[in-house]
mmCIF file of all heavy atoms in Angstrom:
data_model
loop_
_atom_site.group_PDB
_atom_site.id
_atom_site.type_symbol
_atom_site.label_atom_id
_atom_site.label_comp_id
_atom_site.label_asym_id
_atom_site.label_seq_id
_atom_site.Cartn_x
_atom_site.Cartn_y
_atom_site.Cartn_z
ATOM 1 N N LEU E 55 -8.983 61.592 -43.340
ATOM 2 C CA LEU E 55 -10.404 61.633 -43.005
ATOM 3 C C LEU E 55 -10.800 60.381 -42.237
ATOM 4 O O LEU E 55 -10.305 59.298 -42.501
ATOM 5 C CB LEU E 55 -11.248 61.728 -44.276
ATOM 6 C CG LEU E 55 -11.057 63.005 -45.088
ATOM 7 C CD1 LEU E 55 -11.877 62.936 -46.359
ATOM 8 C CD2 LEU E 55 -11.456 64.217 -44.270
ATOM 9 N N LYS E 56 -11.692 60.555 -41.310
ATOM 10 C CA LYS E 56 -12.147 59.421 -40.506
ATOM 11 C C LYS E 56 -13.658 59.295 -40.581
ATOM 12 O O LYS E 56 -14.353 60.268 -40.862
ATOM 13 C CB LYS E 56 -11.735 59.617 -39.053
ATOM 14 C CG LYS E 56 -10.239 59.538 -38.872
ATOM 15 C CD LYS E 56 -9.898 59.258 -37.406
ATOM 16 C CE LYS E 56 -8.391 59.165 -37.235
ATOM 17 N NZ LYS E 56 -7.722 60.452 -37.543
ATOM 18 N N GLY E 57 -14.123 58.094 -40.279
ATOM 19 C CA GLY E 57 -15.568 57.861 -40.256
ATOM 20 C C GLY E 57 -16.187 58.207 -41.588
ATOM 21 O O GLY E 57 -15.704 57.776 -42.625
ATOM 22 N N THR E 58 -17.216 59.035 -41.554
ATOM 23 C CA THR E 58 -17.952 59.325 -42.783
ATOM 24 C C THR E 58 -17.465 60.605 -43.460
ATOM 25 O O THR E 58 -18.031 61.028 -44.452
ATOM 26 C CB THR E 58 -19.459 59.463 -42.489
ATOM 27 O OG1 THR E 58 -19.638 60.452 -41.481
ATOM 28 C CG2 THR E 58 -20.042 58.156 -42.027
ATOM 29 N N GLU E 59 -16.407 61.209 -42.936
ATOM 30 C CA GLU E 59 -15.864 62.413 -43.563
ATOM 31 C C GLU E 59 -15.430 62.108 -44.989
ATOM 32 O O GLU E 59 -14.776 61.108 -45.236
ATOM 33 C CB GLU E 59 -14.647 62.923 -42.786
ATOM 34 C CG GLU E 59 -14.992 63.518 -41.447
ATOM 35 C CD GLU E 59 -13.726 63.768 -40.606
ATOM 36 O OE1 GLU E 59 -12.622 63.471 -41.081
ATOM 37 O OE2 GLU E 59 -13.890 64.244 -39.480
ATOM 38 N N GLY E 60 -15.787 62.983 -45.899
ATOM 39 C CA GLY E 60 -15.331 62.829 -47.270
ATOM 40 C C GLY E 60 -16.164 61.876 -48.095
ATOM 41 O O GLY E 60 -15.895 61.670 -49.259
ATOM 42 N N LEU E 61 -17.166 61.266 -47.486
ATOM 43 C CA LEU E 61 -18.059 60.389 -48.257
ATOM 44 C C LEU E 61 -19.087 61.229 -48.988
ATOM 45 O O LEU E 61 -19.401 62.342 -48.577
ATOM 46 C CB LEU E 61 -18.798 59.425 -47.327
ATOM 47 C CG LEU E 61 -18.005 58.371 -46.570
ATOM 48 C CD1 LEU E 61 -18.967 57.503 -45.773
ATOM 49 C CD2 LEU E 61 -17.194 57.514 -47.516
ATOM 50 N N THR E 62 -19.628 60.671 -50.045
ATOM 51 C CA THR E 62 -20.739 61.335 -50.712
ATOM 52 C C THR E 62 -21.992 61.146 -49.853
ATOM 53 O O THR E 62 -22.035 60.277 -48.978
ATOM 54 C CB THR E 62 -21.006 60.730 -52.100
ATOM 55 O OG1 THR E 62 -21.436 59.377 -51.922
ATOM 56 C CG2 THR E 62 -19.760 60.751 -52.963
ATOM 57 N N ASP E 63 -23.004 61.955 -50.113
ATOM 58 C CA ASP E 63 -24.241 61.856 -49.334
ATOM 59 C C ASP E 63 -24.836 60.454 -49.426
ATOM 60 O O ASP E 63 -25.330 59.918 -48.452
ATOM 61 C CB ASP E 63 -25.264 62.881 -49.822
ATOM 62 C CG ASP E 63 -24.906 64.282 -49.347
ATOM 63 O OD1 ASP E 63 -24.054 64.406 -48.431
ATOM 64 O OD2 ASP E 63 -25.459 65.250 -49.891
ATOM 65 N N LEU E 64 -24.749 59.884 -50.615
ATOM 66 C CA LEU E 64 -25.313 58.553 -50.823
ATOM 67 C C LEU E 64 -24.554 57.507 -50.002
ATOM 68 O O LEU E 64 -25.156 56.637 -49.365
ATOM 69 C CB LEU E 64 -25.262 58.200 -52.311
ATOM 70 C CG LEU E 64 -25.877 56.855 -52.707
ATOM 71 C CD1 LEU E 64 -27.299 56.745 -52.192
ATOM 72 C CD2 LEU E 64 -25.846 56.699 -54.212
ATOM 73 N N GLN E 65 -23.229 57.614 -49.998
ATOM 74 C CA GLN E 65 -22.436 56.672 -49.206
ATOM 75 C C GLN E 65 -22.749 56.826 -47.724
ATOM 76 O O GLN E 65 -22.833 55.839 -46.999
ATOM 77 C CB GLN E 65 -20.943 56.898 -49.469
ATOM 78 C CG GLN E 65 -20.524 56.400 -50.844
ATOM 79 C CD GLN E 65 -19.250 57.052 -51.332
ATOM 80 O OE1 GLN E 65 -18.678 57.914 -50.677
ATOM 81 N NE2 GLN E 65 -18.792 56.646 -52.506
ATOM 82 N N LYS E 66 -22.922 58.064 -47.283
ATOM 83 C CA LYS E 66 -23.294 58.295 -45.881
ATOM 84 C C LYS E 66 -24.632 57.644 -45.567
ATOM 85 O O LYS E 66 -24.800 57.033 -44.518
ATOM 86 C CB LYS E 66 -23.390 59.799 -45.599
ATOM 87 C CG LYS E 66 -22.052 60.427 -45.274
ATOM 88 C CD LYS E 66 -22.243 61.871 -44.885
ATOM 89 C CE LYS E 66 -20.934 62.624 -45.096
ATOM 90 N NZ LYS E 66 -21.109 64.071 -45.143
ATOM 91 N N GLU E 67 -25.578 57.801 -46.482
ATOM 92 C CA GLU E 67 -26.912 57.230 -46.272
ATOM 93 C C GLU E 67 -26.838 55.714 -46.097
ATOM 94 O O GLU E 67 -27.497 55.153 -45.226
ATOM 95 C CB GLU E 67 -27.822 57.549 -47.462
ATOM 96 C CG GLU E 67 -28.628 58.809 -47.293
ATOM 97 C CD GLU E 67 -29.604 58.988 -48.434
ATOM 98 O OE1 GLU E 67 -30.553 58.189 -48.514
ATOM 99 O OE2 GLU E 67 -29.388 59.898 -49.254
ATOM 100 N N ILE E 68 -26.055 55.071 -46.954
ATOM 101 C CA ILE E 68 -25.917 53.616 -46.864
ATOM 102 C C ILE E 68 -25.273 53.239 -45.537
ATOM 103 O O ILE E 68 -25.740 52.349 -44.820
ATOM 104 C CB ILE E 68 -25.074 53.061 -48.035
ATOM 105 C CG1 ILE E 68 -25.778 53.359 -49.360
ATOM 106 C CG2 ILE E 68 -24.854 51.563 -47.880
ATOM 107 C CD1 ILE E 68 -24.932 53.058 -50.592
ATOM 108 N N TYR E 69 -24.207 53.951 -45.199
ATOM 109 C CA TYR E 69 -23.496 53.670 -43.963
ATOM 110 C C TYR E 69 -24.403 53.870 -42.746
ATOM 111 O O TYR E 69 -24.439 53.044 -41.834
ATOM 112 C CB TYR E 69 -22.265 54.572 -43.866
ATOM 113 C CG TYR E 69 -21.482 54.405 -42.588
ATOM 114 C CD1 TYR E 69 -20.910 53.172 -42.270
ATOM 115 C CD2 TYR E 69 -21.315 55.459 -41.701
ATOM 116 C CE1 TYR E 69 -20.201 53.007 -41.098
ATOM 117 C CE2 TYR E 69 -20.599 55.302 -40.527
ATOM 118 C CZ TYR E 69 -20.046 54.076 -40.226
ATOM 119 O OH TYR E 69 -19.344 53.909 -39.064
ATOM 120 N N GLU E 70 -25.157 54.970 -42.747
ATOM 121 C CA GLU E 70 -26.077 55.250 -41.638
ATOM 122 C C GLU E 70 -27.136 54.158 -41.513
ATOM 123 O O GLU E 70 -27.496 53.759 -40.413
ATOM 124 C CB GLU E 70 -26.764 56.611 -41.826
ATOM 125 C CG GLU E 70 -25.847 57.810 -41.646
ATOM 126 C CD GLU E 70 -25.189 57.872 -40.268
ATOM 127 O OE1 GLU E 70 -25.832 57.451 -39.291
ATOM 128 O OE2 GLU E 70 -24.027 58.305 -40.182
#
Side-chain angles (χ1 to χ4, degrees):
L55 296 176
K56 292 199 179 64
T58 55
E59 289 169 0
L61 294 183
T62 65
D63 285 345
L64 183 53
Q65 287 158 358
K66 276 185 202 162
E67 268 186 68
I68 298 171
Y69 177 61
E70 290 301 326

